[in-house]
Each structure stands twice: as structure tokens, then as C-alpha cells.
Amino acid sequence: MHLKSLELSGFKSFAKKATLNFTSSITGIVGPNGSGKSNTAEAFRFVLGEQSIKSLRGKRGEDMIWNGGGEGSSNSGRANRASAKLTFDNSSRMFASIDFDEVTIERIVHRDNTNEYLLNGTGVRLKDIIELLATAHVGATGHHIISQGEADRILSASIRERREMIEDALGLKIYQWKKLESIRKLERTEENMKQVESLRREIAPHLRFLKKQVEKVEKAEEMRRELISIYKIYFAQEEYYITTEKTRLHSEIAGPKKELSDLEHALNKAREILTASKNKDVTSDELISLEKKLAETRTETDTVVRELGRIEGEINANKRAKEKEESRMKQEEFKTVYLKDVEEVISRAELFQTVKEVIDAFRNFIKGHRSANDSQFVAEMEKEIVRLSAEKSNFEHKRMTLGDFEKKIVSEYNALKQKIEHEKDTNRDAEKEVFRIIARQNEVRHIVGTLTADIQKIDFAEAEFKRELGEAGMIVGREATQYDAVVNASNRSEQAEKKHQIDKLKIRLEDMGAGGGAEIMKEYKETEERDAFLARELVDLEKAKDELNKLIAELDVRIDIEFKQGILKINKEFTNYFSLMFGGGHAELTVVKEAKRRKKGDSEELGDMLEGGIDANLQMDANDANESQDGPEGLEVNVSLPRKKVKGLMMLSGGERALTSIALLFAISQVNPPPFIILDETDAALDEANSKKYGDMIENLSKHSQLILITHNRETMSRAGVLYGVTMGADGASKLLSIQFEEAVKVAK
Ligand code: ATP
């Protein structure tokens, strides 16, 4: 028991909410004509996603909505929406994908013809409903919902349509949808592949261009690396060379320089000596002056000696005179004066006034008469001797002084003379020295000049080295300037060769134009990645395409096998039911190939069929898919009645047609029982005997499928476990009520 209930609200004649509970495996719905019974069957179709409003006896979705009832009833009685809600018992997980014991599917149509689908109360797409139903073998073609007057639909359908119905009944639709989906995916995949391929084609020239650029950049980078490595060795060697050369030259030049300065000094000295010798006249003058001074001193000494001799003589004379006087004086004590002289003094004394004058006069007299060599004279002599002695000692002192002075001058003179002699020697040496120094200076200057030139060369090399370092830093980056110290010096020609290489590389690098390397690399990398991504995508798409093709092929095989096996099984049941109904005879479905080129009529028929389908797109795809095979297959119904020679459906009576149709429907349902089957007055054309057989078959079917039977047939009613009566009041609204068999019989009438 899968079906639990159907709830109608505003659907067609069911103005008010009405619920059918399917508590029995056979539910009968009875009621007078036009009471709304078929509306319930249509409600099933509706809720299961029927897209053909025509098949629901309407023109638009709006026609499904309770439109008010009775003559002159106002619009206000109308409903705004029609809904039908089907409740399934999912405790056996007939809907495997839904993990609830109950599944409700509800469809609502609004006045604006929009539809809503709810799965357990949640809005979903129609597609979801269809797929869900397909998994539970509740087909979209509605093979299990036989509307009123449609009992022989399966017989009147085209062979293709019939095939569709059978496929649906056999539960192959799910595979077909899968196949269709795969085909659609395949198309999308192929479209994507085309797009990816065109994208790759688009970027290919750019990628090629970038690749060339990148190769250039890489080549430049390679050269840069090479330049760096040469630079490193070159710089290390160069630095080593410059430093050692500088040290060597500076130490080498130090000696000669010192020598030059020493020579200069010596030269100056020698020149000084020579200059000094030019002043030798001064020395001679000095000598002459000394000679003159000596002569003067000597003359003076002679004078002093003469004077001394004179003084000594004088002293001696005086001494003799004095001695003489002294001896004479010893005689004079008795000297005689002339009286007259005395008288004269006396005469003069008479004239004197004072004694003193007299005394003096006498004194003078005596004095005058004393001899010249008198004592006074002696005294004078002594005095003179003393004076002369003093004078003599003076002169002696003078003579001594002069002697010392002379000695001094002599020694000075001698010294000077000696000096002059010595100077003469020195000058000669100095001259020689000057010549020697100048000669040596020339030699040393030459050496210093050479070394200085070498130093200048090294200084120049150093400047060049620094300039090259700076340039290297700019051209190839700092790395080139970070070199190791040198262990073994290389020779200059090797260095020159390296420099040559460096210059060549620099020029080549410059020619390549180093700019934009990083950007190009980045763009190339990005483009390459994009291309690789597209290539991968293409591979993935190819893989997906293969997988889809494989899946489609697998599905084709599966559909084909299951279809053929299903047909075999159906035929077995079909002929059984057929012979049961007709008391013999034979019936079967046969697979036929439809002509490849279809007539226009067929295609119109196909259009109709599509309109009645679930999803026009899906159907269209299905046609294409079928066409892609070698001619779509259809199903023909072949019957042969017992005791009758005629064969073929065309020859059947209305009742026979209904019976055949029922036999086929039951056979299909028997082979692959749907959860429920709705039969709307399928039994209408049956006579009493066949009604009974029909009733038996129904009971048999109800073992596998839940049956909802709309019927006026008493026999059929009697087989139902639950009966619902549908009535319609004056308001035009259908009403539902659960009734007993007897009531049902009454209601049906
Ligand atoms: P019979 O036994 O003759 O087959 P029935 O019981 O199957 O009859 P239905 O065909 O189900 O009757 O009901 C048809 C009735 O439903 C009609 O009276 C029709 O007017 C009514 N009906 C259909 N659509 C609507 C609607 N949208 N609004 C109101 N009534 C509607």
C-alpha cells in the first residue's frame, strides 16, 4: 500500500477541500454523471506533473481552478488556486532518495497559470518531481492512469507512442532520461570543447610570441649569468693585481724618492759649501786686517818698550842726580852768603809792615840762596822717580797687554790661515760632489719617473676598475660585484682577454634590451598556465565526452535489452489475459522498425505526443537520440481472436477493442506493477460476463498495485474495499463521502 491519500482544494469542481483516503488496495469512486469523479482521476495526472492541459480537459491552467458554480454565480465564489496533494507511504522507501516515511507531492496552479510544485512542503522544480516519480515507477506517460474513454488509447496510439508507453511502464524512462541528460551533457561538453579549442587557438600566436620573447629573456639571463661569473673572476683578479701592484710600486718608489730627497739635501749642502767659498775674499780681508792689526800692535809694543827704556833711563838719571845732590848737600850745610845779599834783604825788610812779611822775605832769601841741588831737589827727584816708576809699571802693563793681544792675533791669524787652506780643499770636494749628485739625481729621477708612470697607470687601472664595478652593478646587478678574494693571480693577458669577453657580452646584452624581462616571464607564465589549464580542461572534457558516450552506449544497450525482455514478459501475460477474456485466441506486441523518413503526419502526431509529454525538451532530445540510431523502433499489436478468421485491431468491435486494451494494460501492469493504477470507467463497455472476468483480473492486479476505480459497474464496485461517493449539489461543487456498497449502487445510479 503506497498511496495514502489525495487531497483536493479548489481543483475543478472540488471547491472545498476534499480528501480521498486510500485505505484499501482497491478504492472505488462512484457517483452520478457529471458529479466530478473524472476530476479526481485528472487530479492524479495533474499532481503528477501532467503538462497537457488538453488531456485534463482544459485550455489553460486556470481551467483547473474552481470557477464557481451554478447559473449567474458571481466571480467571488471562484478560487484563486487549485491544488492537489498526493500522499505516499514511503516506509518501504519506494522513493529511495527521500528519507521520510511519508512523501507528499503537491501541485498548485494559480490564476495567472503559474504552477508550484511542493515536495514534502518544499518548493521544487517539475523536473525534480518527474525524476522522483520515475524512480518509483510512477511514469509520466500515465500508462497507469487510464482516463475515461481512453481505455483503448494504447491501441489507437502510434507504434512509437506505444513504445513510449511500454518503455514507461517497464521503468525504462529513468534510463532514457539519464541518456537524454547524458546527450545534453555531451552536447554541452562538445560545445565547451569547441570553446576551449577556440580559446587555445586564440592564445596560441600570443603564446608563441611570448615564448620567443621568453627565450630571448632567458638567453639574456644566461648571458647575464655568464657575465656575472666572468666579472667575478675579473674583478677579483683586477683588485688583487691593483692592490699588489700598488703596494709593490709604492714600496719600490719609496727608496728612490728618499734618495732623491737625500740627494737634494746633499746637493744643497754642497752648493752651500760652494757658495761659502765664494765668500773667501771676506776671509782674506779678515786675514789682512789681522795682519794689519798685528803690525799695529807690534809698533805699539815698540813704542811702549822705547818709552820704558826712556823711563828707566830717566829713573836712573834721577837716581844718580839725587845721589849726587845728596852727597853735595852734605857739603852745603856750611854755605857762605854774600853780605850784600843779606843787607839787601834787611833793607827790604825795613819796608815791611808785618813780621810775617819779614819772615817770608828771609825765608825766600834763604830759599833763594839754597843751592839748586838742595834737599828740595832731592825730594823732587824722589818724587819724579816715584812718578816715573809708576809710569814705568804702566808701560810694562801696557807692554804685557800688547804682548797678549799680539799672541791672540797671531793665533787668530794662524787659525784663519789654516781655515782658508781647509776651505780650499772642501770646495774642491763639494764641486765633485755636486757633479756626482746631479748625475745620480738624473739616474734616480729616471727611476722615480718610470715608477711614477707605473703608479699612474695603476691609479688609472684602479679608476677604470671602479668604473667597471659601478657599470657591472648597473648592467647585471650587485651580484657581479660580490666576488671572492683571489688566491692565484692570473697574468695580464688573461685579464685582457676577460675584459674583451666582458665588453662583448655587454654589447650583446645591450642589443637584446634587458628591459621588461620579468613582465614578459610573468605574462608568458600566466598565458602558458592558461593554455595548460585549457589543455587540461580539454583532456577532462575529452574524458567526460568518452565517459558520456560510454554511458549513452551502455544505456542504449540496457534500454534495448530490458525493453526486449520486457516485451517478452508482457507478451506472455498479454496472451494470457487475452485468452482469458476471449476464451482463447492470441495477442502479442511485435517490435517494428519505423521507416527512417517519416511522413509529415507522423511528425505532427509526434508534436501532439510531445505536447502531452512531460518535458518538451526532453522529448525532443529523445527523438533526436532515437533518430540517431538506425531507425526508431515501434510496437505493433497483433491479435487473433478465437473462432474468428479475421486478424488485426481494425477488425475488432468496440467491446473487443476494450477487452484487448484491458488485457494489454493488465499485462503491462502485471510485468512491472506500478504503485497504483487508476481506471476511469474502463469497464464501461463490458457485459456482465466480461465484467466478472474484469473483476477477477482487478483483484489479481491489486496484489501488486493499488487500484482506484471510477465505475458505474456493480461488479467492479463489489470488488472495492473502500467506496467513495461523489455528488454535486446545486452550487456545482463536488462533495465526497465514504459509503457502503449498497449506497454506492444507489449513488451510481
Ligand atoms: P460521468 O459519470 O458522466 O463521467 P463524472 O462524474 O466523471 O461524470 P466529471 O467529468 O468528473 O463528472 O465532472 C464534470 C463536472 O465538473 C462538470 O459538471 C463540470 O462543470 C465540472 N467542472 C469541471 N471543471 C470545473 C471548474 N473549473 N469549476 C467548476 N466546475 C468544474
Side-chain angles (χ1 to χ4, degrees):
M1 297 267 287
H2 299 299
L3 217 48
K4 274 184 133 173
S5 63
L6 174 67
E7 202 180 290
L8 305 173
S9 180
F11 184 80
K12 288 207 164 183
S13 57
F14 290 89
K16 290 199 182 108
K17 196 167 137 181
T19 309
L20 283 153
N21 288 306
F22 308 107
T23 51
S24 168
S25 59
I26 302 175
T27 304
I29 297 172
V30 301
N33 293 134
S35 60
K37 297 187 296 298
S38 293
N39 290 345
T40 61
E42 277 162 4
F44 273 97
R45 282 184 182 279
F46 173 75
V47 72
L48 295 178
E50 178 61 75
Q51 295 300 293
S52 166
I53 299 300
K54 206 167 111 187
S55 76
L56 300 176
R57 294 181 296 165
K59 280 192 184 111
R60 302 176 301 269
E62 198 188 356
D63 296 334
M64 298 300 111
I65 305 170
W66 164 248
N67 204 26
E71 285 289 311
S73 65
S74 69
N75 275 356
S76 60
R78 305 196 315 175
N80 288 322
R81 46 176 249 168
S83 94
K85 185 160 107 184
L86 206 50
T87 305
F88 290 90
D89 180 355
N90 194 38
S91 51
S92 65
R93 296 292 182 268
M94 68 181 282
F95 299 110
S97 62
I98 298 178
D99 199 23
F100 287 103
D101 285 347
E102 214 173 72
V103 171
T104 63
I105 296 169
E106 185 175 7
R107 180 178 177 181
I108 303 157
V109 65
H110 298 271
R111 285 259 169 226
D112 61 1
N113 297 321
T114 55
N115 286 277
E116 275 180 75
Y117 296 90
L118 305 175
L119 179 61
N120 279 2
T122 306
V124 290
R125 294 166 303 171
L126 169 61
K127 187 175 177 279
D128 302 323
I129 300 285
I130 290 165
E131 281 185 12
L132 178 74
L133 292 171
T135 63
H137 193 51
V138 183
T141 52
H143 64 276
H144 56 304
I145 302 173
I146 308 301
S147 297
Q148 195 177 0
E150 278 200 335
D152 69 342
R153 187 162 71 109
I154 195 154
L155 297 185
S156 53
S158 71
I159 57 165
R160 254 179 73 82
E161 238 180 323
R162 196 176 296 123
R163 180 193 153 111
E164 293 260 342
M165 285 181 198
I166 301 290
E167 278 174 349
D168 194 7
L170 287 171
L172 299 179
K173 268 280 172 271
I174 186 81
Y175 302 129
Q176 276 172 339
W177 279 318
K178 273 189 190 162
K179 183 180 151 184
L180 289 172
E181 219 170 44
S182 301
I183 288 166
R184 268 204 300 205
K185 271 188 199 160
L186 189 65
E187 281 166 2
R188 276 204 301 271
T189 306
E190 280 168 345
E191 189 50 43
N192 283 344
M193 281 172 78
K194 269 186 208 150
Q195 275 174 10
V196 171
E197 273 163 356
S198 110
L199 276 176
R200 281 194 82 193
R201 267 198 304 280
E202 257 170 52
I203 61 172
H206 187 52
L207 190 62
R208 273 200 300 279
F209 168 77
L210 284 174
K211 197 174 157 69
K212 266 188 204 140
Q213 294 297 104
V214 163
E215 274 164 12
K216 256 195 199 170
V217 170
E218 277 169 354
K219 180 79 196 143
E221 177 57 19
E222 202 180 289
M223 279 198 283
R224 199 179 75 88
R225 302 274 6 137
E226 193 188 344
L227 187 53
I228 286 171
S229 74
I230 297 175
Y231 257 143
K232 279 187 168 184
I233 303 167
Y234 174 78
F235 284 143
Q237 291 287 356
E238 199 65 4
E239 189 182 59
Y240 179 79
Y241 168 72
I242 288 166
T243 339
T244 49
E245 267 309 273
K246 256 176 112 174
T247 315
R248 181 182 71 77
L249 288 169
H250 279 292
S251 84
E252 233 168 70
I253 206 171
K257 263 191 173 166
K258 168 86 170 52
E259 193 181 346
L260 263 190
S261 120
D262 287 352
L263 284 171
E264 192 63 36
H265 194 65
L267 188 65
N268 283 342
K269 239 175 156 181
R271 279 201 172 124
E272 257 169 44
I273 290 165
L274 288 177
T275 313
S277 80
K278 282 190 193 124
N279 298 336
K280 68 183 172 206
D281 291 345
V282 178
T283 320
S284 303
D285 288 352
E286 204 179 326
L287 197 68
I288 291 162
S289 126
L290 274 177
E291 275 170 354
K292 200 174 146 198
K293 236 188 227 171
L294 191 64
E296 277 170 8
T297 308
R298 277 183 181 153
T299 310
E300 204 174 337
T301 306
D302 285 350
T303 310
V304 168
V305 168
R306 261 195 318 275
E307 203 62 22
L308 260 179
R310 184 194 56 88
I311 290 168
E312 267 173 6
E314 234 173 277
I315 288 170
N316 284 339
N318 280 345
K319 273 180 181 169
R320 271 188 316 267
K322 185 191 135 191
E323 280 165 14
K324 205 173 146 186
E325 189 59 38
E326 276 173 341
S327 66
R328 200 195 51 92
M329 265 179 55
K330 275 168 187 167
Q331 294 164 355
E332 213 161 281
E333 293 277 303
F334 306 110
K335 196 173 177 182
T336 318
V337 270
Y338 295 105
L339 195 43
K340 119 184 144 117
D341 293 336
V342 177
E343 284 170 357
E344 196 196 312
V345 172
I346 295 162
S347 55
R348 256 191 307 160
E350 282 172 356
L351 292 166
F352 291 147
Q353 282 154 20
T354 64
V355 177
K356 177 120 167 45
E357 283 170 305
V358 175
I359 297 165
D360 285 341
F362 276 108
R363 265 188 195 157
N364 282 340
F365 176 78
I366 301 165
K367 202 183 169 182
H369 280 82
R370 274 213 180 241
S371 161
N373 299 326
D374 62 13
S375 58
Q376 196 184 346
F377 174 79
V378 170
E380 269 173 15
M381 275 303 115
E382 275 174 354
K383 247 170 96 184
E384 188 65 17
I385 287 165
V386 168
R387 191 191 61 83
L388 283 171
S389 292
E391 199 176 356
K392 183 189 165 193
S393 84
N394 255 349
F395 274 104
E396 274 171 347
H397 180 74
K398 210 170 179 180
R399 196 185 62 186
M400 242 161 62
T401 311
L402 279 170
D404 287 347
F405 187 64
E406 188 187 328
K407 268 187 214 157
K408 188 179 153 248
I409 288 172
V410 167
S411 90
E412 265 180 29
Y413 179 81
N414 286 338
L416 189 61
K417 246 189 136 168
Q418 213 178 338
K419 194 179 153 203
I420 287 167
E421 282 310 307
H422 178 71
E423 266 176 7
K424 275 182 185 162
D425 290 348
T426 314
N427 271 355
R428 269 193 305 279
D429 288 349
E431 259 167 25
K432 273 197 228 159
E433 185 67 356
V434 165
F435 286 124
R436 189 193 64 77
I437 288 169
I438 287 169
R440 180 64 190 153
Q441 265 184 334
N442 283 338
E443 271 170 39
V444 177
R445 274 205 187 106
H446 179 69
I447 294 168
V448 169
T450 311
L451 287 172
T452 307
D454 286 351
I455 287 171
Q456 272 175 356
K457 267 194 228 159
I458 277 293
D459 286 346
F460 178 74
E462 190 176 26
E464 179 61 19
F465 165 70
K466 281 179 179 156
R467 192 197 58 74
E468 190 70 52
L469 260 182
E471 199 178 293
M474 282 197 299
I475 296 175
V476 291
R478 286 175 55 88
E479 200 191 330
T481 65
Q482 288 156 352
Y483 46 85
D484 300 326
V486 131
V487 184
N488 295 315
S490 65
N491 63 42
R492 291 311 283 162
S493 68
E494 275 170 15
Q495 274 295 85
E497 172 55 30
K498 278 201 186 75
K499 183 70 174 59
H500 182 61
Q501 272 178 288
I502 286 166
D503 289 343
K504 249 166 55 183
L505 281 168
K506 277 201 295 201
I507 290 165
R508 284 175 66 192
L509 266 177
E510 217 165 276
D511 285 351
M512 286 194 138
E519 271 166 49
I520 284 166
M521 290 300 265
K522 190 170 167 253
E523 198 184 341
Y524 174 68
K525 213 179 144 215
E526 279 169 3
T527 314
E528 202 191 26
E529 270 168 14
R530 172 130 181 81
D531 187 59
F533 169 77
L534 290 173
R536 279 199 303 277
E537 191 137 282
L538 211 55
V539 170
D540 288 350
L541 287 168
E542 198 86 54
K543 219 198 265 171
K545 188 183 159 183
D546 289 349
E547 270 162 20
L548 285 168
N549 275 324
K550 217 173 104 189
L551 182 64
I552 289 164
E554 276 169 14
L555 285 167
D556 276 337
V557 171
R558 187 165 191 166
I559 290 166
D560 190 53
I561 290 172
E562 289 198 11
F563 179 69
K564 280 169 183 159
Q565 283 174 351
I567 294 295
L568 286 176
K569 284 183 194 159
I570 288 169
N571 278 343
K572 199 174 148 232
E573 297 297 331
F574 187 21
T575 216
N576 272 347
Y577 280 116
F578 187 81
S579 58
L580 190 76
M581 291 278 201
F582 291 99
H586 181 78
E588 65 167 10
L589 293 170
T590 51
V591 177
V592 289
K593 285 215 167 153
E594 208 174 46
K596 249 192 178 178
R597 187 178 296 178
R598 292 197 309 270
K599 288 172 283 170
K600 199 172 177 252
D602 278 352
S603 112
E604 271 168 1
E605 182 186 48
L606 188 73
D608 281 358
M609 193 192 76
L610 289 178
E611 206 187 316
I614 306 108
D615 183 337
N617 263 337
L618 282 177
Q619 294 288 355
M620 199 62 92
D621 286 342
N623 295 333
D624 293 349
N626 281 341
E627 272 172 316
S628 70
Q629 294 166 1
D630 46 319
E633 290 172 327
L635 283 174
E636 252 174 24
V637 183
N638 298 310
V639 289
S640 60
L641 291 170
R643 298 173 300 277
K644 285 191 181 171
K645 281 200 180 112
V646 287
K647 281 187 183 174
L649 289 177
M650 303 300 283
M651 303 299 140
L652 297 177
S653 75
E656 284 168 344
R657 212 175 149 80
L659 282 173
T660 307
S661 169
I662 288 163
L664 181 53
L665 287 175
F666 283 14
I668 294 167
S669 300
Q670 186 80 22
V671 168
N672 194 17
F676 60 92
I677 302 171
I678 297 158
L679 301 171
D680 190 353
E681 298 188 39
T682 324
D683 51 7
L686 306 181
D687 59 22
E688 219 181 296
N690 280 333
S691 290
K692 189 135 182 11
K693 283 177 196 164
Y694 179 81
D696 291 343
M697 286 193 285
I698 277 170
E699 265 186 59
N700 197 34
L701 269 189
S702 75
K703 283 173 196 156
H704 307 288
S705 303
Q706 232 171 320
L707 300 177
I708 292 128
L709 310 171
I710 297 167
T711 186
H712 292 287
N713 190 307
R714 204 188 136 89
E715 181 59 38
T716 308
M717 282 181 215
S718 72
R719 309 281 177 149
V722 172
L723 281 166
Y724 281 99
V726 184
T727 56
M728 188 176 272
D731 57 356
S734 301
K735 282 182 194 64
L736 262 180
L737 55 148
S738 182
I739 52 167
Q740 295 305 309
F741 175 68
E742 287 73 22
E743 279 178 277
V745 177
K746 266 189 254 165
V747 166
K749 283 169 182 162

